[in-house]
Amino acid sequence: MANTEHTFIALKPNRVQRGLMGEIIKGFEQKRFYLVSLKCIQALEDLRKEHYIDLKDRPLFTWLVKYMHSGPVVAMVWEGLNVVKTLRVMLGETNPVDSKPGTICGDFCIQIGGNIIHGKKDISLWFQPEELVDYKSCAQD
């Protein structure tokens, strides 16, 4: 596929605990993106710190690292044409107040610190290469 990209998405603990995972995954599949890896984990502290390393000098850092241990995280890798840009639009703004209705953050998030989804290019941080499945979907034909 031309311009095929991969992106990382994590459903944070409160998203998992609220039982809204299927709805988000369904939305990504309806956009014809392909799930190439998925796992439900209790992230270790080193992984959580590395994931938020860009925020290490902000007061929110310690809270985020602790929050990401408050329950399981569903880590996923998605593939598709312009998947990075498209999923960023589908996610909405980091601040739910600024997110439009119809976006994931706009519909399901209440506050910035507890938003329910995270999209970054952190695939190698959360997944080993052998955990990514390479397949051709019948929908590509």
Side-chain angles (χ1 to χ4, degrees):
M1 219 187 298
N3 297 323
T4 296
E5 302 172 318
H6 290 88
T7 195
F8 171 80
I9 296 288
L11 302 181
K12 295 180 181 181
N14 63 352
R15 174 64 164 155
V16 175
Q17 293 169 0
R18 290 173 59 197
L20 301 171
M21 297 170 291
E23 194 167 334
I24 287 178
I25 292 171
K26 177 182 175 184
F28 296 164
E29 288 180 325
Q30 287 176 331
K31 283 287 191 181
R32 300 289 186 243
F33 295 131
Y34 304 101
L35 184 62
V36 297
S37 199
L38 177 143
K39 59 184 169 182
C40 183
I41 65 169
Q42 187 77 41
L44 298 175
E45 185 175 10
D46 288 346
L47 174 60
R48 298 187 321 264
K49 284 182 175 179
E50 185 63 29
H51 182 78
Y52 286 110
I53 195 73
D54 56 325
L55 302 174
K56 70 178 171 130
D57 295 326
R58 294 192 176 177
L60 191 60
F61 176 77
T62 302
W63 183 88
L64 283 169
V65 171
K66 183 178 177 183
Y67 162 69
M68 288 292 279
H69 191 66
S70 66
V73 173
V74 173
M76 301 176 284
V77 178
W78 290 89
E79 175 184 292
L81 183 64
N82 300 315
V83 70
V84 175
K85 183 177 180 181
T86 304
L87 290 188
R88 181 65 249 165
V89 171
M90 289 176 73
L91 296 177
E93 301 299 322
T94 301
N95 186 343
V97 173
D98 298 329
S99 290
K100 296 177 181 170
T103 64
I104 294 166
C105 289
D107 289 350
F108 301 114
C109 299
I110 300 167
Q111 61 188 20
I112 293 175
N115 63 12
I116 54 179
I117 195 157
H118 198 271
K120 289 176 75 173
K121 289 189 174 185
D122 284 334
I123 296 169
S124 62
L125 184 62
W126 290 78
F127 291 91
Q128 298 298 316
E130 62 272 11
E131 292 180 293
L132 304 179
V133 179
D134 184 23
Y135 66 99
K136 181 179 179 187
S137 169
C138 61
Q140 289 175 324
D141 296 332

